[in-house]
Each structure stands twice: as C-alpha cells, then as structure tokens.
Amino acid sequence: MKALEVNELTKSFRSNFLFRNIDVLRSVNINVEEGSIYGFLGPNGAGKTTTIKCILGLIFPDSGSINVFGKPVESFSYRNKIGFLPESPYYYDYLTARETLRFSGRLFSIPGKEVEKRSDEILKLVGLNGKENIKLKKFSKGMLQRIGLAQALINDPHLVILDEPFTGLDPMGRKELRDIIIALKAEGRTVFFSSHILQDMEMIVDDVGIIVKGRISKEGKLRELVGETVKYHEITVLGLEEHILKEKGYDYTGIGKKIMIKLEDRANLNDAFKFIEKSGGECISVSRISRTLEDIFIQEIEK
C-alpha cells in the first residue's frame, strides 16, 4: 500500500509586484511506499515546502490529487495519522518538554494518561529523558529539534513528515537524528523528509525524489539511482615513483606511500595492471566508484 500518492499536483501564487501568477508546482508526482524512508530534495525555491503544505492540507493546490494511506487529502480523518516537524517551528519557551507534549497531545484529543505514557516513550526515543522538566528557553538548537520531533510523534503517526530536520545540527546531532529516523522505520512508520544535507540523506533513505523548478526531475530507489553509472575505477598501488605515472599520463593522487590511480575507462584496467607490475609496483586494491546522490542532484539541476 502507498503511504503517500501525489498525482499531477499544480500550484501557483499571485504576485502583487508582477501582477501575474507564478507557477510553483507543475504536475508533481510522488509515490511513497509504506514503511519506507523517502528523501525529498531540491534547490531553494524548487517547491519542496509548498508540496509539503499541500500534503498537510495547509494550502490547497490548483489541481491534482493527494492520497494518504488511500484517503484523499480533503478527508480530515487522515490527519491523525500524520506527524509533522516544520523547518522553523515556534515553541512556547516558558513550557517544559513534558508540558509541550501534553499541549500537543490535547490538540489530538488524546486522553491524559495516554499522553503521559506516550511522552515517556518518546522523550526516551529522542534522547530527552531526564530533561523533561527543563524549560524550552534553556534548550540548545539540537534539543529543540528533538522536542520538535517528539511533538510530531505524540499522536503515534503512521506517516512522519520532516521539513529540513538536520538544519543547524552539529555532526553528532545529525548522527543521532539519523538513528531516530531509522528507528521510526523499524517501528513500521513511513518517513518523508526534505533536506539540503545530501550526505545524511544518502545514508538512510530508501527512495528519493528530486524537484527542480516545480517539477519532479528524478524519482526512484536510491540504490538503483546511484548504481546506474560507474564514475571511475581507482587502483591503489605501492612502490611507484610519481614521475613514472606522469610520463604515462595517468590521473593520480598520492597519500603517503600509497598512490591512487584514477581510470575512467574500464577497458584500461588490464593495461594498468601490466604497467604497475612491469614498473615494480604493487597493486593492493581496486575500487569501483559509483555516483553519489550529490552527483545525481547536481546533474538534475544543470539539465
């Protein structure tokens, strides 16, 4: 079953300065499998946040359809199954973490005892257990991201939507957030998130969609997209002098005693092995370097 289906979504906004409509979304199609992690990326102004707002029912598209777990977005019944963390959330900083979750729970009409039970579980999941009675005004940026994620989970959602969740986090905070997203998937939840930090996205997503100028330019399983093309092969060798490689015209880099030879044409591998052996070198490894998500992203933008 599809957790999220977006079909031919279009949206435009009226420009008071230009006195005309500006097309923001142009026939956007997105398919998110239930129980998967879906990465939604694109440059600034491509339409990521507008798409998310349409999915949440915060704004209405000009045309197209959106289904969440088989139900149309116009149906309010689906909203209890969604948790949302906006890019720039606002918090009542005089509340504690636990009070914030109580407040969020009341918005979903969750009974008090269940809210307390859920709060204990979620605070532990996001790493805020022991800090539940600290006021939010004393929280760091990373801790605020954690409480934001916690409030997005208070209603026990099946679909979790995160808009730029890694923004402002240090490397440790990003690693911990990745672990939380993976844990959500292990619980059977579906996670849909946008991010500019492609390295983090590449580590955890199952599927990816790239939006450029309001259109989905690329969508598919990450392992298939990055595995479509081999960028080059890299041979690591010992015992070769750099001047020998220069004379041969190889593209190489040296790190200590190791030298990495870069070959873009696979057909030249055998010739390289013979040359290394003849020159008294030792081949210690051969690596197949595939495209990264960043390579794919840049390629789509430059089209």
Side-chain angles (χ1 to χ4, degrees), residues 33-34 74 179-180 198 204 229 278:
E33 297 291 337
E34 186 174 1
E74 294 80 11
D179 291 342
I180 292 171
L198 304 186
I204 59 176
T229 305
K278 182 179 178 180

Side-chain angles (χ1 to χ4, degrees), residues 67-286:
N67 293 321
V68 179
F69 296 106
K71 294 184 178 180
V73 72
E74 294 80 11
S75 170
F76 286 95
S77 61
Y78 84 96
R79 296 188 181 181
N80 284 337
K81 296 183 178 181
I82 294 181
F84 174 53
L85 173 63
E87 179 180 1
S88 301
Y90 175 81
Y91 302 102
Y92 296 110
D93 59 8
Y94 56 84
L95 295 180
T96 66
R98 184 173 290 280
E99 288 169 342
T100 299
L101 295 185
R102 285 175 184 160
F103 176 75
S104 298
R106 288 173 184 169
L107 295 177
F108 287 98
S109 301
I110 303 173
K113 289 184 178 179
E114 187 176 345
V115 169
E116 295 302 319
K117 180 182 177 183
R118 288 284 301 155
S119 296
D120 289 336
E121 295 171 352
I122 295 169
L123 288 168
K124 183 177 180 181
L125 173 67
V126 301
L128 288 177
N129 50 317
K131 301 179 178 67
E132 59 267 21
N133 295 318
I134 299 176
K135 293 185 182 298
L136 299 192
K137 63 183 178 181
K138 297 183 179 180
F139 273 24
S140 65
K141 171 65 175 177
M143 293 170 69
L144 288 174
Q145 285 291 82
R146 293 167 188 264
I147 193 61
L149 183 56
Q151 63 82 28
L153 298 173
I154 193 64
N155 60 319
D156 194 20
H158 296 177
L159 172 62
V160 183
I161 298 177
L162 311 173
D163 193 2
E164 298 289 348
F166 295 100
T167 301
L169 296 182
D170 60 22
M172 182 57 69
R174 285 160 45 196
K175 192 266 182 190
E176 291 170 348
L177 182 54
R178 291 197 305 267
D179 291 342
I180 292 171
I181 292 175
I182 292 171
L184 293 176
K185 177 187 174 182
E187 292 177 356
R189 305 182 200 275
T190 306
V191 181
F192 178 97
F193 76 98
S194 67
S195 179
H196 283 104
I197 305 176
L198 304 186
Q199 295 90 340
D200 289 313
M201 184 176 285
E202 189 168 5
M203 290 180 187
I204 59 176
V205 299
D206 300 302
D207 303 282
V208 64
I210 301 175
I211 185 169
V212 180
K213 296 180 180 179
R215 297 183 187 275
I216 300 295
S217 64
K218 198 87 168 179
E219 187 184 41
K221 295 195 174 298
L222 179 64
R223 65 176 181 271
E224 295 176 358
L225 293 179
V226 298
E228 284 179 352
T229 305
V230 177
K231 290 175 64 178
Y232 58 88
H233 287 80
E234 186 177 78
I235 304 175
T236 304
V237 299
L238 294 174
L240 283 185
E241 298 293 335
E242 287 192 41
H243 69 87
I244 297 176
L245 296 171
K246 287 181 179 178
E247 292 173 1
K248 185 67 174 177
Y250 279 132
D251 183 1
Y252 69 93
T253 57
I255 302 177
K257 295 181 180 180
K258 294 181 181 179
I259 293 178
M260 275 70 74
I261 300 173
K262 176 180 175 182
L263 295 173
E264 296 186 357
D265 189 346
R266 188 179 185 280
N268 294 328
L269 278 174
N270 287 333
D271 290 338
F273 294 147
K274 292 176 182 177
F275 171 77
I276 292 168
E277 182 179 2
K278 182 179 178 180
S279 303
E282 178 186 1
C283 176
I284 60 175
S285 70
V286 180

Side-chain angles (χ1 to χ4, degrees), residues 31-42:
N31 291 280
V32 182
E33 297 291 337
E34 186 174 1
S36 67
I37 302 174
Y38 188 100
F40 190 45
L41 65 152

